[in-house]
Amino acid sequence: MRAVVFENYGEFPSLTEVPKPEPGPGEVLLRVAGAGACHSDISVYRLFKEGQPGAQKPPFVLGHENAGWVESVGSGVSDRVQVGGSYMVYGPIGCQHCRKCAAGLETYCENVATMPYLAVGLGRDGGMAEYMTVPERHLIPLGDADPVAAAPLADAGLTPYHAIRAALPHLAGGGRTALVIGLGGLGQIGVQILRALSGATVIATDVKERARARAEANGAITVEAGEGQVERVRELTGGRGVDAVFDFVGAGPTVAAAAASVAQGGRVSIVGIGGGSHEFSFFTNPYESYLTNTYWGSVGELWEVVDMYRAGQIRPDVELFSLEDALEAYRRLEAGEIDGRAVVVPNES
Ligand code: NAD
Ligand code: ZN
């Protein structure tokens, strides 16, 4: 079958022929409906070097945001799994034996150092292919909801959901504000989740005008990124600053803007892996403010994201590519030419 394979550190992936996988015990074979192209994949194949935190050893099939139809099942799979049924895939795969895995938060597996891979599409073969294998416990039923547009929710939905849910105590109450920095795959869904889960005024910022326009359509007030943005955000909050900031870029200038925009007692969540840093000391931050980072989310939270999608509260903005055009999707993502999320569609429904 055809697949998008990350073959060597530092190299752009290739579209190549690989063997069709077979489901092992407790796994299903999924016919892929949609596979989202995440900005993290660019770090995987361009930036990470062997042995570096986050690096996953090639070769493997990319694609950690997937949904599809169960084609067949391996031994021991429960008859609750419906062959032909449509499912969302929870990507992270932990050891299953630690307290974090037991709580469904496999991203924070305590035995990650001894695991052969982090997730489907991150060390283990992912969904940028006609078929993939998935452990049964990682399937969430989609019912009659469209699995193609659902695919980005596996990461671009779940990651903002996890970050926002943790920040909700900061957003509860009248007159609260949230700031979303970076309005790409994650940021656009982040705006929708904030609007659905909190009554806070959502301020959003990006360098791209088109991205800001989309966020406005989703109910955000927008500010152009760059010079003067912190002053503008302060103005919009009556000088007080923002109660919860979500930085979906994580580069030096955005982390600086996030830290400069937060209110006393507010919370900055760094989600983007741009590598920016910020000093945190008595003198450099508003009193009792929080600075945290966050990685992906739990399987239970993905069930909730799917509930929001099925209820129409999240509408991922997708641009579809055939598997033959998957490399073009990555090229355009790197060039900043994708609005919303690029989704590769390897099979017809
Ligand atoms: P994307 O390419 O779809 O979107 C990035 C957006 O940020 C674009 O709209 C771009 O114009 C904007 N941007 C870039 N520089 C900016 C700046 N200086 N100021 C304002 N806006 C700026 O990316 P994505 O797939 O949404 O991923 C976003 C980030 O989150 C990436 O760093 C990715 O690796 C990371 N990520 C982290 C997790 C996690 O679990 N922590 C999960 C998925 C992705
Ligand atoms: Zn574990």
Side-chain angles (χ1 to χ4, degrees):
M1 65 171 190
R2 306 286 277 163
V4 177
V5 179
F6 163 46
E7 291 186 299
N8 289 301
Y9 287 113
E11 279 179 21
F12 194 70
S14 9
L15 182 64
T16 184
E17 200 68 25
V18 299
K20 183 176 171 184
E22 282 183 18
E27 294 181 348
V28 307
L29 181 70
L30 203 73
R31 197 161 71 90
V32 178
C38 177
H39 207 109
S40 300
D41 290 334
I42 298 172
S43 299
V44 166
Y45 63 72
R46 286 276 185 228
L47 294 183
F48 293 152
K49 300 190 175 60
E50 183 150 24
Q52 205 184 322
Q56 293 301 305
K57 202 173 169 50
F60 58 87
V61 178
L62 289 172
H64 56 268
E65 291 185 344
N66 312 291
W69 305 278
V70 171
E71 177 87 356
S72 63
V73 300
S75 63
V77 169
S78 138
D79 57 14
R80 287 200 178 87
V81 172
Q82 287 177 0
V83 174
S86 170
Y87 292 87
M88 171 69 92
V89 177
Y90 176 65
I93 301 183
C95 74
Q96 299 307 307
H97 301 287
C98 72
R99 75 200 74 200
K100 291 291 164 44
C101 286
L105 194 58
E106 299 192 31
T107 43
Y108 296 161
C109 173
E110 292 170 346
N111 295 313
V112 66
T114 59
M115 288 296 293
Y117 41 68
L118 290 181
V120 297
L122 293 169
R124 171 178 164 135
D125 286 339
M128 291 270 169
E130 291 162 52
Y131 296 92
M132 71 187 297
T133 59
V134 181
E136 173 188 354
R137 63 175 191 277
H138 287 232
L139 296 177
I140 298 164
L142 279 167
D144 56 9
D146 172 20
V148 175
L153 299 178
D155 182 14
L158 176 56
T159 300
Y161 186 77
H162 179 77
I164 290 165
R165 214 167 171 259
L168 282 179
H170 296 267
L171 298 173
R176 302 298 169 109
T177 50
L179 173 63
V180 177
I181 300 176
L183 302 168
L186 274 69
Q188 296 291 352
I189 298 179
V191 167
Q192 297 177 33
I193 293 171
L194 278 163
R195 295 278 295 162
L197 296 190
S198 88
T201 299
V202 179
I203 307 170
T205 179
D206 198 290
V207 286
K208 288 197 292 189
E209 206 277 323
R210 278 201 317 274
R212 296 197 301 273
R214 276 171 196 250
E216 281 171 20
N218 285 322
I221 298 170
T222 65
V223 170
E224 188 174 347
E227 213 172 308
Q229 72 170 329
V230 171
E231 292 72 17
R232 185 84 189 93
V233 169
R234 289 261 161 201
E235 262 169 44
L236 288 168
T237 58
R240 209 173 59 81
V242 174
D243 298 294
V245 185
F246 305 92
D247 182 355
F248 294 110
V249 180
T254 60
V255 172
S261 301
V262 74
Q264 284 191 4
R267 176 179 169 113
V268 175
S269 309
I270 297 176
V271 185
I273 63 176
S277 61
H278 179 74
E279 188 183 342
F280 198 98
S281 71
F282 185 87
F283 295 107
T284 53
N285 297 273
Y287 294 125
E288 301 196 14
S289 60
Y290 299 76
L291 180 62
T292 188
N293 55 9
T294 179
Y295 170 54
W296 222 339
S298 74
V299 65
E301 287 167 332
L302 188 55
W303 278 80
E304 293 172 10
V305 169
V306 168
D307 286 341
M308 291 181 76
Y309 174 65
R310 295 182 70 175
Q313 293 175 309
I314 301 175
R315 291 189 187 84
D317 207 343
V318 295
E319 186 175 346
L320 306 185
F321 291 82
S322 70
L323 186 54
E324 289 308 309
D325 289 337
L327 299 184
E328 175 63 5
Y330 278 116
R331 190 199 64 71
R332 288 191 40 208
L333 181 63
E334 284 194 57
E337 292 169 8
I338 298 287
D339 300 324
R341 197 52 138 198
V343 173
V344 171
V345 182
N347 293 290
E348 295 293 310
S349 55

